[in-house]
Amino acid sequence: MARVTVEDCVDKVENRFELVLLAGHRARMIASGSALTIARDNDKNPVVALREIADETVAPEDLKEDLIHSLQKYVEVDEPEQDVPLLAGGDDDVAEDNAIAFDRMSEEELLRGLESMVPPDKQDDF
């Protein structure tokens, strides 16, 4: 039986460090119950993972994306914000809301106001 070597995989994944990361991730996937794409031939999971990469039965790009998603702790989902009315009421409430004028402040006015503020005295606790 021929063993897989790093040279068999380097032409698929050029960076050896990335190859180790991807093969390790695939080996963990196999250990957790993922289906094999090649015959095991009494090999251990890391060797099977390297053989899968060398035979191109798994795409390195897909492994890379899966590895990135497995390492993320927070995944931001882009969802459109819904417009929710702040006040519930009839048409009379809407007419009254339109009659009230609120003070609006531009960004420049806000920045000028913040810059004119005096910082509190610093106290040394030492």
Side-chain angles (χ1 to χ4, degrees):
M1 176 180 76
R3 291 283 179 167
V4 66
T5 62
V6 174
E7 286 77 23
D8 297 333
C9 301
V10 168
D11 56 343
K12 280 47 167 199
V13 180
E14 296 174 6
N15 187 341
R16 290 175 187 245
F17 179 71
E18 186 177 347
L19 173 64
V20 170
L21 286 175
L22 296 179
H25 178 67
R26 178 63 183 152
R28 285 188 294 279
M29 288 172 58
I30 293 170
S32 66
S34 181
L36 299 176
T37 59
I38 60 170
R40 181 175 283 277
D41 290 337
N42 203 22
D43 290 330
K44 295 185 179 180
N45 293 339
V47 176
V48 172
L50 284 170
R51 286 181 48 214
E52 287 179 340
I53 292 171
D55 294 343
E56 294 182 337
T57 58
V58 292
E61 294 83 20
D62 295 340
L63 281 177
K64 187 175 182 178
E65 288 295 320
D66 192 43
L67 175 64
I68 291 170
H69 286 293
S70 71
L71 295 174
Q72 287 180 336
K73 294 183 180 181
Y74 175 74
V75 178
E76 183 175 327
V77 179
D78 291 332
E79 294 181 5
E81 295 182 13
Q82 298 177 357
D83 292 332
V84 178
L86 297 177
L87 297 174
D91 293 332
D92 295 333
D93 293 335
V94 174
E96 290 176 14
D97 288 341
N98 290 337
I100 300 173
F102 292 101
D103 291 333
R104 301 282 184 200
M105 183 181 286
S106 68
E107 286 185 41
E108 292 82 21
E109 293 171 338
L110 177 65
L111 286 174
R112 274 188 264 127
L114 290 174
E115 289 172 350
S116 67
M117 292 177 66
V118 178
D121 293 335
K122 295 183 179 180
Q123 297 177 356
D124 292 333
D125 293 334
F126 300 104

